[in-house]
Amino acid sequence: MNAKGGDSRAPVDTIYAVASGGGKAAICVIRLSGPRCADVLARMIRQPVVPREAALRRIWAPSTGALLDQALVLHFEAPASFTGEDGVELHLHGGRGVVAAVLRELDAMPGLRPAAPGEFTRRALMAGKLDLAQAEGLADLIDSETEQQRAQAVKQFSGGLTGHVALWRERLLEALALTTAEIDFGEEGDVPPDLTRMIRARCVEVLGYIDAALAQQKGAARVREGVSIVLSGPPNAGKSSLLNAMAGREAAIVSEHAGTTRDLIEVALDIAGVPVWLVDTAGLRAAETSVEAEGIARAKARAAQADLVLWLNAANEIRVEPPPKLSVDLWHLTTKADLASATHATDQAALSVRTGAGMEALMTRLADYVRERLPQDGVAQLTRQRHVKACERSSLALRRIVDGGPGIALDLLAADLQEATRALAEVIGLIDVEQVLDDIFSRFCIGK
Ligand SMILES: Nc1nc2c(ncn2[C@@H]2O[C@H](COP(=O)(O)OP(=O)(O)OP(=O)(O)O)[C@@H](O)[C@H]2O)c(=O)[nH]1
Ligand SMILES: [Mg+2]
């Protein structure tokens, strides 16, 4: 079975779900998809509705004949719907009682069942309404919290990544077609040098695109998953105070005792539209207790995985240097500038949580840091490990062709071209889609 196939023998259930957010709200949207939609309309709405036109209708309970609500009703006739199936949306009043009553009636109707997470999108994918990369983009769009996440997700949803990958694949398929023709109809003996030259040029071209995307995949992943910034330094340097100031709330305990923080304390920030995980950690020193030792071990481990470490030293204390061999970006910051002597106060990276001095400069510098790491426009954005793995495979196969000598055998050339195009097809879900579907759709919310 492939993405477009589906199992035509199985009777298709009509699925339904609350598609708007949980909790009490002014309006609640219940969405249905499947062959029983017309039946639901006939039994619950009674009056006809014109497809694709919003209509204000009474909603009736088929089981009792009672009036349930008055709502906006939409009917999307197959195949002109999100899923490609018959679809209905009921824009009910958002009261829990209303929603529960309508769901109860739907549940009692034959051929209807609640939707599984992501099932609407899964059906859309099966109907060829969107491809796998677009479905992932849609999941990211629903999960997006920041401006850059939204921008990246909507691009992928509207076919950004698909467009790039499909073009690369097309270029390689042309080369593959020529190779296969030569294998089938060419004369025995050497491969025409023109042909190898042309195919190699094609591979170099596509390899350039793929490698450019791979080179900045970290940027795309950072937008999706967040940039990790770790506060580190000796005890009492003011790490927790800075975390609280940046978060705008008392997330971590602050005290004048050295060795206060033990656990990793993480807050989510939005810097320049990018999600940032700011982590407060235990001060580094020779531990006094086993609990503190564990805290310090965690602090070191987290700093080693960070994108950026802010290494803090208090202006009124003896400077402590960061541990050597920390291979991440690191900035030295001087804290408690209000306690500094005149010489320290001129330090550019000095700040005081108490007076607020230097805080704006730090935030501006962080915003620049984050912006510089955003993926460039015009390059395909590989937002998931899945895309990266597939592109790496494609890149490897192409490199074998490019690095191969002029006398490369036609069948080897064809095999590598096949591997390269196949890996690209996986990105957009043209093949081997089943294994990733469950993983992707189980992360969707119900109703999407
Ligand atoms: N004067 C002054 N005091 C500060 C400033 N920032 C923090 N402090 C004080 O310094 C002490 C230590 O602050 P914390 O934020 O707990 O320091 P820490 O680095 O998290 O310490 P540990 O968790 O023990 O490693 C507290 O008494 C804070 O009030 C500042 O900008 N100026
Ligand atoms: Mg602390």
Side-chain angles (χ1 to χ4, degrees):
M1 189 172 100
N2 65 22
K4 307 278 156 72
D7 188 345
S8 54
R9 290 160 306 172
V12 180
D13 289 331
T14 296
I15 51 173
Y16 64 88
V18 173
S20 49
K24 189 175 160 183
I27 290 168
C28 169
V29 179
I30 290 183
R31 169 191 226 186
L32 296 96
S33 179
R36 294 286 184 138
C37 280
D39 187 36
V40 171
L41 287 176
R43 295 173 70 181
M44 292 186 82
I45 315 298
R46 298 184 188 171
Q47 272 183 293
V49 270
V50 180
R52 311 184 71 79
E53 275 184 26
L56 185 64
R57 291 287 182 270
R58 292 201 163 101
I59 313 281
W60 303 93
S63 66
T64 60
L67 179 64
L68 296 178
D69 193 15
Q70 188 160 289
L72 213 56
V73 178
L74 282 156
H75 181 204
F76 301 97
E77 264 183 331
S81 72
F82 175 69
T83 57
E85 304 173 332
D86 237 13
V88 164
E89 277 180 22
L90 306 174
H91 296 225
L92 306 168
H93 290 104
R96 287 183 225 278
V98 179
V99 179
V102 172
L103 289 177
R104 210 163 37 234
E105 292 298 328
L106 291 174
D107 200 40
M109 273 189 238
L112 266 65
R113 67 165 169 80
E119 197 170 3
F120 289 90
T121 309
R122 194 174 183 138
R123 289 187 177 192
L125 186 92
M126 292 303 181
K129 292 274 174 178
L130 36 74
D131 64 43
L132 196 53
Q134 287 179 297
E136 289 168 333
L138 180 56
D140 290 349
L141 197 55
I142 294 166
D143 286 340
S144 73
E145 303 249 353
T146 70
E147 175 56 16
Q148 291 295 336
Q149 284 184 321
R150 180 202 62 71
Q152 181 164 287
V154 79
K155 214 183 273 177
Q156 189 172 330
F157 172 54
S158 45
L161 178 58
T162 305
H164 283 284
V165 173
L167 183 82
W168 306 342
R169 191 167 162 265
E170 223 166 84
R171 302 286 284 161
L172 294 180
L173 282 175
E174 283 165 18
L176 182 61
L178 290 175
T179 314
T180 323
E182 184 62 29
I183 291 173
D184 290 346
F185 306 113
E187 294 185 2
E188 290 290 319
D190 286 348
V191 185
D194 278 358
L195 180 68
T196 4
R197 208 173 307 126
M198 181 262 168
I199 290 171
R200 189 165 292 140
R202 204 41 90 77
C203 292
V204 168
E205 178 202 336
V206 175
L207 194 56
Y209 299 139
I210 298 181
D211 285 351
L214 282 171
Q216 62 167 30
Q217 57 92 6
K218 250 189 154 177
R222 276 200 202 97
V223 170
R224 189 167 170 265
E225 290 154 21
V227 175
S228 153
I229 301 180
V230 169
L231 297 168
S232 190
N236 244 346
K239 301 179 293 297
S240 302
S241 304
L242 181 57
L243 176 98
N244 291 348
M246 287 172 72
R249 62 188 170 91
E250 301 300 305
I253 298 172
V254 166
S255 92
E256 69 281 10
H257 297 291
T260 302
T261 305
R262 304 292 171 86
D263 286 316
L264 301 171
I265 297 163
E266 207 158 349
V267 296
L269 304 179
D270 177 338
I271 298 182
V274 174
V276 168
W277 296 102
L278 183 68
V279 193
D280 182 22
T281 62
L284 303 188
R285 65 170 177 185
E288 290 176 359
T289 65
S290 60
V291 177
E292 189 181 4
E294 176 60 26
I296 289 173
R298 290 182 191 198
K300 285 181 173 165
R302 193 51 170 268
Q305 293 164 7
D307 290 303
L308 172 65
V309 168
L310 302 182
W311 181 261
L312 275 52
N313 268 294
N316 61 333
E317 298 283 345
I318 296 166
R319 254 180 105 85
V320 178
E321 289 306 314
K325 289 189 278 178
L326 199 60
S327 61
V328 302
D329 295 339
L330 186 135
W331 295 355
H332 287 271
L333 301 182
T334 305
T335 55
K336 310 192 193 180
D338 54 296
L339 301 179
S341 58
T343 46
H344 274 100
T346 56
D347 189 340
Q348 269 196 329
L351 58 92
S352 166
V353 167
R354 189 147 296 172
T355 65
M359 286 299 292
E360 213 179 296
L362 174 64
M363 293 314 288
T364 307
R365 203 174 155 201
L366 284 172
D368 290 343
Y369 174 86
V370 165
R371 264 190 226 106
E372 279 163 19
R373 276 151 191 81
L374 286 178
Q376 275 171 276
D377 265 354
V379 175
Q381 292 174 11
L382 310 177
T383 54
R384 298 183 183 229
Q385 263 319 95
R386 198 180 71 72
H387 311 152
V388 173
K389 290 236 169 74
C391 284
E392 280 172 351
R393 267 180 41 220
S394 191
S395 167
L396 257 167
L398 292 177
R399 201 164 290 287
R400 277 198 295 272
I401 297 172
V402 172
D403 293 347
I408 186 167
L410 267 184
D411 54 343
L412 290 182
L413 197 68
D416 279 337
L417 275 172
Q418 239 151 11
E419 164 74 2
T421 48
R422 198 186 147 78
L424 292 180
E426 280 174 23
V427 175
I428 39 187
L430 297 177
I431 43 172
D432 281 351
V433 74
E434 284 303 312
Q435 56 188 4
V436 284
L437 282 184
D438 287 332
D439 179 55
I440 289 169
F441 289 113
S442 62
R443 286 160 211 254
F444 261 91
C445 45
I446 292 171
K448 195 61 214 174

